[in-house]
Amino acid sequence: MHDLVIRNGRIADGRGGPSSVADVGIDGEHIAAVGTDVGPGHREIDADGRLVTPGWVDIHTHYDGQVTWDPDVSPSSWHGVTSVVMGNCGVGFAPVRPDQRDWLVQLMEGVEDIPGAALTEGMTWAWESFPEYLDEVESMARVLDVAALVPHGALRAYVLGEGRGNDVATAAEIATMRDLAREALVAGAVGVSTTRTLLHRAKDGELAAGTTAAAQELIGIGEALAGIGHRVFSVASDMLDLDGEIAWMAEISRRAGVPVTFQTLQTDLAPEMWRDWIDRGLAANRTGAWLVPQVAGKPASILVGFESSFHPFTKHAAYQPLADLPLDERLAALHRPEVRQAILSEERTFTGSEGFLYGNMHKLFPLGDPPQYEPSPEESVGAIAARHGVSPLEVAYDLMLERGGKELLYLPILGYANGGLWAIDEMLRHPGTVLGLGDGGAHCGVLCDASLPTFMLTHWARDRDRGPVMAVEQIVQHQTSRTAALYGFADRGVLAPGYLADLNVIDFDGLALDPPEMAYDLPAGGKRLIQRARGYGATIKSGVVVREDDQATGERPGGLIRAGRGGASGPRRPGAAPVPAGMA
């Protein structure tokens, strides 16, 4: 008799083939059987009419600080995610000298918009080296498994000092960074990450550490990945020097024999350039490299409302007396005609974030309930204003007061150059790409894309009306076996005997995303946008039901994935079975 049986579900096993109705038998942490007659279970879950999938493997998150205080790793765990990779974009919190903690916090706060006060209050800082950080992460039981990349920014700060974030490193300094990276990788880090984008700036306004590092430095650090098994070098780059960027990434891949994954996004200024990025990467692969374009499932965007980090009226003089009022009082004031008139009649020269918003009213949309992430251009704030003969700011003001002052305006920045998701559609269908860039845990004041796994099902496999949908089996594969394979997680991502029993039981027809909402639940009262889902009948991690009917059960079987150690480690259930031979 099995410990648990999922009965009569529509099995999309993660490999992309046609789904079929079957049972899943689970013993301990692993899947024991999949078929039409797997036998009884001590507990059985009726999955009739429901979709059964592997647990989602999200490879681009920023929970580096949050995992030290939050065993639920939310919001990702609310969306069927059972494994995450953090430490992306070259930012994180180890290695760290005691006098550099504040500097790393302001780096993360600037680059990823995570409240610095929350990080400062929430983290224990019970580490200096990266292996010690992994030990700290491992010490807490969680609802899901976490894996960590070594951040280039922290390496640079530790070796060069915080005042030399983008100084040229000496050969000796490069060697020290390589040795520290090697130490971390041997301890179980799954790779190294760096940033090369000018958008990534610390809170002090400086470019993120390592942004302009020479190719020699990156290749030197990349040598640490050689000869110790499957690891990954992860890159966020603007590709301003496409030849140079492809060259050093390919060199790391060839020397170390590991995949290098690089973000691939569509920009308004060069809406077809992403094709060159993919083509050049694949061309390098034909000469012995292993480059993997990492693509998004929805546009990189910001959400603005009267609770957001900024909105179109943040710097208006007439708004300033309201800015720090409790939300209810602020909204009451904003509804008063004289306040509305004072704010909207104010003459301003828009600069900075305000200028960016004002210049993109043709791409600014009411998000709505249910949220719409692929609206047509006719639904934009600019188009509404033109139809009614009023200013876009007037439309934005009134829209943000809808839904009790909770309405958000959605500005797709990357991936929407042609007024739709056609470029993203093409990227997702490309056989050489991998899905990522959800940024779980980051951009707390203006974004919540930790919900990406749910969006992938509701939009791409079911509801899209401005283009073709994709087969649900393809969408499942995108966020299970393909993401797991990139990181060498050979024990998960597929529903088959011997694999980890990480599963979702989903009411596919009823699956829905709630609108994002602002929560004030971070340490020190920090705020973040969160987004909930409805329709996850069960999420199972290592054979344990951790969520049922969209609610946490209180079980925490998750641990730390240490590369080269065969699966996750950490507080586990007594008697847990080892990973089958040949799968680690």
Side-chain angles (χ1 to χ4, degrees), residues 450-473:
S451 59
L452 177 63
T454 303
F455 173 82
M456 293 299 297
L457 286 178
T458 58
H459 185 78
W460 288 110
R462 194 189 67 194
D463 295 341
R464 190 179 188 218
D465 59 9
R466 299 192 62 219
V469 297
M470 300 184 194
V472 67
E473 295 88 351

Side-chain angles (χ1 to χ4, degrees), residues 515-547:
E517 59 182 304
M518 194 66 74
Y520 297 82
D521 60 353
L522 293 176
K527 70 179 183 180
R528 60 175 181 154
L529 279 168
I530 61 173
Q531 188 169 26
R532 299 184 183 274
R534 288 172 282 119
Y536 285 92
T539 295
I540 299 160
K541 172 74 198 105
S542 297
V544 179
V545 179
V546 295
R547 290 185 68 81

Side-chain angles (χ1 to χ4, degrees), residues 231-279:
R231 299 294 192 274
V232 175
F233 200 106
S234 178
V235 182
S237 175
D238 293 331
M239 297 290 188
L240 296 179
D241 174 11
L242 183 57
D243 290 343
E245 296 292 274
I246 293 294
W248 70 256
M249 290 192 294
E251 187 65 17
I252 287 176
S253 180
R254 293 189 190 103
R255 288 192 187 189
V258 300
V260 177
T261 183
F262 60 95
Q263 70 174 23
T264 303
L265 297 161
Q266 182 196 45
T267 69
D268 284 8
L269 293 178
E272 300 300 318
M273 186 65 72
W274 62 270
R275 300 181 189 279
D276 293 338
W277 297 10
I278 292 178
D279 289 346

Side-chain angles (χ1 to χ4, degrees), residues 89-91 103 107 111 153 156 165-166 195 197 200-202 206-212:
C89 298
V91 290
W103 190 86
L107 176 60
V111 172
R156 267 199 148 244
N166 281 291
T195 181
T197 172
H200 283 165
R201 293 180 180 269
E206 295 296 321
L207 287 172
T211 301
T212 62

Side-chain angles (χ1 to χ4, degrees), residues 44 68 82 149 177 201 214 311 318 354 369 532 542 563:
E44 298 197 1
T68 67
T82 53
L149 295 160
M177 285 189 279
R201 293 180 180 269
H311 53 72
E354 277 189 312
D369 181 10
R532 299 184 183 274
S542 297

Side-chain angles (χ1 to χ4, degrees), residues 205-226:
E206 295 296 321
L207 287 172
T211 301
T212 62
Q216 177 184 1
E217 176 180 333
L218 297 162
I219 293 169
I221 295 172
E223 289 174 348
L225 284 73

Side-chain angles (χ1 to χ4, degrees), residues 52-356:
V52 180
T53 74
W56 313 133
V57 180
D58 187 342
I59 60 173
H60 193 107
T61 77
H62 293 280
Y63 290 115
D64 309 68
Q66 188 175 330
V67 293
T68 67
W69 73 73
D70 176 19
D72 291 328
V73 197
S74 65
S76 284
S77 64
W78 304 344
H79 295 275
V81 177
T82 53
S83 304
V84 300
V85 177
M86 58 190 185
N88 287 279
C89 298
V91 290
F93 299 110
V96 58
R97 301 185 192 279
D99 61 352
Q100 294 176 337
R101 294 170 181 170
D102 289 345
W103 190 86
L104 287 183
V105 166
Q106 67 87 35
L107 176 60
M108 180 68 81
E109 184 172 15
V111 172
E112 300 299 342
D113 185 30
I114 302 172
L119 294 168
T120 299
E121 181 172 304
M123 287 192 290
T124 62
W125 294 109
W127 64 84
E128 178 170 332
S129 70
F130 202 91
E132 290 169 344
Y133 171 71
L134 291 181
D135 291 343
E136 178 73 4
V137 173
E138 187 177 47
S139 70
M140 178 184 287
R142 295 180 187 80
V143 299
L144 50 72
D145 286 341
V146 299
L149 295 160
V150 186
H152 186 194
L155 286 175
R156 267 199 148 244
Y158 196 84
V159 175
L160 277 72
E162 63 186 57
R164 298 181 59 206
N166 281 291
D167 287 0
V168 176
T170 67
E173 289 167 337
I174 293 171
T176 302
M177 285 189 279
R178 180 186 63 232
D179 291 345
L180 287 169
R182 182 77 174 193
E183 176 188 53
L185 294 161
V186 169
V190 296
V192 174
S193 75
T194 192
T195 181
R196 310 279 286 169
T197 172
L198 303 181
L199 295 175
H200 283 165
R201 293 180 180 269
K203 189 178 180 182
D204 62 14
E206 295 296 321
L207 287 172
T211 301
T212 62
Q216 177 184 1
E217 176 180 333
L218 297 162
I219 293 169
I221 295 172
E223 289 174 348
L225 284 73
I228 54 172
H230 192 111
R231 299 294 192 274
V232 175
F233 200 106
S234 178
V235 182
S237 175
D238 293 331
M239 297 290 188
L240 296 179
D241 174 11
L242 183 57
D243 290 343
E245 296 292 274
I246 293 294
W248 70 256
M249 290 192 294
E251 187 65 17
I252 287 176
S253 180
R254 293 189 190 103
R255 288 192 187 189
V258 300
V260 177
T261 183
F262 60 95
Q263 70 174 23
T264 303
L265 297 161
Q266 182 196 45
T267 69
D268 284 8
L269 293 178
E272 300 300 318
M273 186 65 72
W274 62 270
R275 300 181 189 279
D276 293 338
W277 297 10
I278 292 178
D279 289 346
R280 293 294 300 279
L282 297 182
N285 292 350
R286 290 192 287 273
T287 62
W290 187 359
L291 305 187
V292 183
Q294 187 173 148
V295 303
K298 63 192 296 192
S301 63
I302 58 173
L303 299 173
V304 296
F306 283 121
E307 282 189 281
S308 303
S309 294
F310 72 96
H311 53 72
F313 311 104
T314 305
K315 296 182 180 179
H316 278 57
Y319 181 77
Q320 299 314 303
L322 315 180
D324 296 324
L325 292 177
L327 181 62
D328 289 348
E329 294 180 29
R330 194 183 336 149
L331 293 175
L334 289 165
H335 275 289
R336 291 201 293 268
E338 67 274 16
V339 172
R340 180 180 185 276
Q341 176 63 23
I343 292 175
L344 292 175
S345 63
E346 186 174 318
E347 294 186 6
R348 288 185 50 77
T349 299
F350 295 100
T351 59
S353 58
E354 277 189 312
F356 180 75

